Amino acid sequence: MDEKHAEPSTSKQDRRQSTTRYLKLNRLPTLQEVLDRRTRPPLDLFCFYIFLQRESAEDALDFWLDVQQHENMCKAYFKDLKRSDRTIDEDWPEYAAYARTHGSHFTPLLNFSDKPIIDIGASPPPRSSGAPSSSTGQAGTTSPTMSMTHGRERRDTESHGPRSPITNAGEFGRPSRIRPSDAPTAGTDHDAQRGTGAGSRMSIRTWGRNPRQSRAPTVIQRDRAVQKDALVESAERIYLRYLLPGAEKEIYLPPSLRMPDFPQSPSSSNPSPLIPDLFHQQKHYIFRALEADAFPRFLRAKAFANLSPAGSFWRLVLGLFILWGGFVLGFSLIFLDRQPRAVRVWVLLPFLVSTNLLLAAYYSLSPLLAVFQHSETGAFRSMRVREGYVRRLLTLRAVWIEAVCLALTAALTCIFVFVPGHRL
């Protein structure tokens, strides 16, 4: 059955709208949900990028986003090929042979001819009695089975969701790039476009002549069908930017995942069959590394706190200074033996302000910002907290911090009020 008749148009429209629909969860989001741009500030992709940039680890996220967009371009190529009623065997026979032999996580999108697909190390799916078996040439009905190694990668891909964090239009819209120099508000990502034709292509051979092209983002041009040379150009750009030894934004990878050389194509019309799946294992490793290390710290910094490191530092300095002033005022009133003793109650003000600032710096959470539902993204910059669950967490922690602050203030005030005076 044709793919466009496989499901009603209403469900397809709902699926497209779901890519831009924010999640409403009574829990903290997962890393994939953040990368899919389905969360609100301060747990959105923009804040995650700022957090990684503060730790000088944003290259890993840049690599994941670029590889994800490269795979989106490959999906667009396979879908365009299916719409044109051409098979992958006719347009790219080398990749068709590679996918049959080694497997690929793009296999469900491939429009194979009626030739059988090689199944390595896996049993065929069970067939229902009385129902005819599905043809392997229809990718919209039955997904061909892959090898055991690539099958594990495919399950990981399905568990992380097929949605792109770069695009939020229907299938492929105009992608936007995360730039830390933008204003710290949601939706401030800017679109960057670059042609994918032969005239603007960057290759390994011309890399040394024009290194500025390495900073150009990978962009899917949807005014025309995606060609194979655009896939090669996208893969070359990612390799030169992140994986080439000594590259501009080289990322750390274990020795088994490093790529000392880029797979050369025999000709421009027959690129290497490794291009679509070239970075899939590296992307999976980076995702796991971010999920295990950086993302938990990001959640602690943004879901349980609302201050940046700079904001905490300046509150610490200001709190210590005001606390010193409170002690100077308190001891002065004691040794001057001011009467009546109720005058000493004024030490309550510096103690209240200083304990608020010091506890805010210690817990990286300002009760005042929590009341106004704001969270800092940098020094003297903040954004509104729009995630309801995070708002409740910050409010509860702010109430607890304010209770501790009032207790400390009351204790210090009582000490300096009821201590007998002694004029020097």
Side-chain angles (χ1 to χ4, degrees), residues 24-25 54 58 71 85 107 118 141 175 227 242 258 263 292 329 390 409:
K24 295 182 180 180
L25 300 174
R54 190 180 298 136
E58 73 276 9
E71 294 181 354
D85 294 331
T107 302
I118 297 178
T141 56
Q227 303 297 327
Y242 301 104
R258 294 174 188 172
L329 177 62
V390 176
T409 302

Side-chain angles (χ1 to χ4, degrees), residues 14 33 43 70 81 85 91-92 111 121 125 141 166 184 206 208-209 267 283 291 309 334 337 357 363:
D14 293 339
E33 290 168 349
L43 299 182
H70 170 73
L81 192 64
D85 294 331
D91 193 76
W92 201 348
N111 187 18
T141 56
I166 296 294
T206 60
R209 305 174 188 174
S267 63
K283 172 192 168 186
E291 188 179 43
I334 291 175
D337 196 14
L357 292 174
Y363 291 103

Side-chain angles (χ1 to χ4, degrees), residues 62-81:
D62 281 334
F63 172 77
W64 195 96
L65 294 175
D66 284 344
V67 174
Q68 180 70 20
Q69 194 164 356
H70 170 73
E71 294 181 354
N72 290 339
M73 185 180 294
C74 296
K75 293 177 183 178
Y77 164 75
F78 294 133
K79 289 183 178 181
D80 289 340
L81 192 64

Side-chain angles (χ1 to χ4, degrees), residues 31 48 52 60-61 285-296:
L31 175 58
F48 187 41
L52 292 178
L61 181 59
Y285 173 82
I286 292 297
F287 182 92
R288 292 302 184 190
L290 290 175
E291 188 179 43
D293 181 33
F295 188 67

Side-chain angles (χ1 to χ4, degrees), residues 180-337:
S181 58
D182 296 339
T185 56
T188 56
D189 307 328
H190 296 284
D191 296 339
Q193 290 186 349
R194 181 176 183 269
T196 56
S200 61
R201 177 174 175 177
M202 176 191 65
S203 63
I204 301 291
R205 294 181 295 274
T206 60
W207 169 251
R209 305 174 188 174
N210 194 3
R212 293 182 61 186
Q213 291 181 347
S214 66
R215 299 180 179 90
T218 305
V219 175
I220 303 174
Q221 296 286 348
R222 295 306 292 157
D223 56 346
R224 57 184 176 182
V226 178
Q227 303 297 327
K228 287 183 290 186
D229 59 347
L231 305 183
V232 178
E233 179 185 1
S234 172
E236 286 181 349
R237 187 182 300 112
I238 293 174
Y239 176 78
L240 293 173
R241 185 186 297 177
Y242 301 104
L243 302 180
L244 181 70
E248 174 190 3
K249 302 178 70 174
E250 184 179 6
I251 60 174
Y252 170 79
L253 291 172
S256 59
L257 296 179
R258 294 174 188 172
M259 298 176 58
D261 298 313
F262 185 82
Q264 296 293 336
S265 305
S267 63
S268 58
S269 59
N270 295 317
S272 172
L274 301 175
I275 294 299
D277 302 283
L278 188 59
F279 311 111
H280 185 67
Q281 292 183 352
Q282 290 83 353
K283 172 192 168 186
H284 179 73
Y285 173 82
I286 292 297
F287 182 92
R288 292 302 184 190
L290 290 175
E291 188 179 43
D293 181 33
F295 188 67
R297 288 185 285 108
F298 167 70
L299 292 180
R300 288 193 296 268
K302 305 306 292 185
F304 299 96
N306 57 12
L307 294 180
S308 63
S312 298
F313 173 76
W314 288 113
R315 281 171 175 81
L316 175 63
V317 173
L318 185 59
L320 291 175
F321 178 77
I322 296 177
L323 182 63
W324 172 80
F327 281 124
V328 170
L329 177 62
F331 281 111
S332 298
L333 294 176
I334 291 175
F335 292 119
L336 290 177
D337 196 14

Side-chain angles (χ1 to χ4, degrees), residues 368-393:
L368 186 61
L369 286 179
V371 169
F372 291 99
Q373 299 179 358
H374 272 70
S375 178
E376 285 189 351
T377 58
F380 308 106
R381 295 183 299 174
S382 65
M383 66 192 317
R384 188 171 181 84
V385 178
R386 301 186 181 276
E387 194 69 47
Y389 183 70
V390 176
R391 194 180 303 160
R392 293 193 296 271
L393 287 177

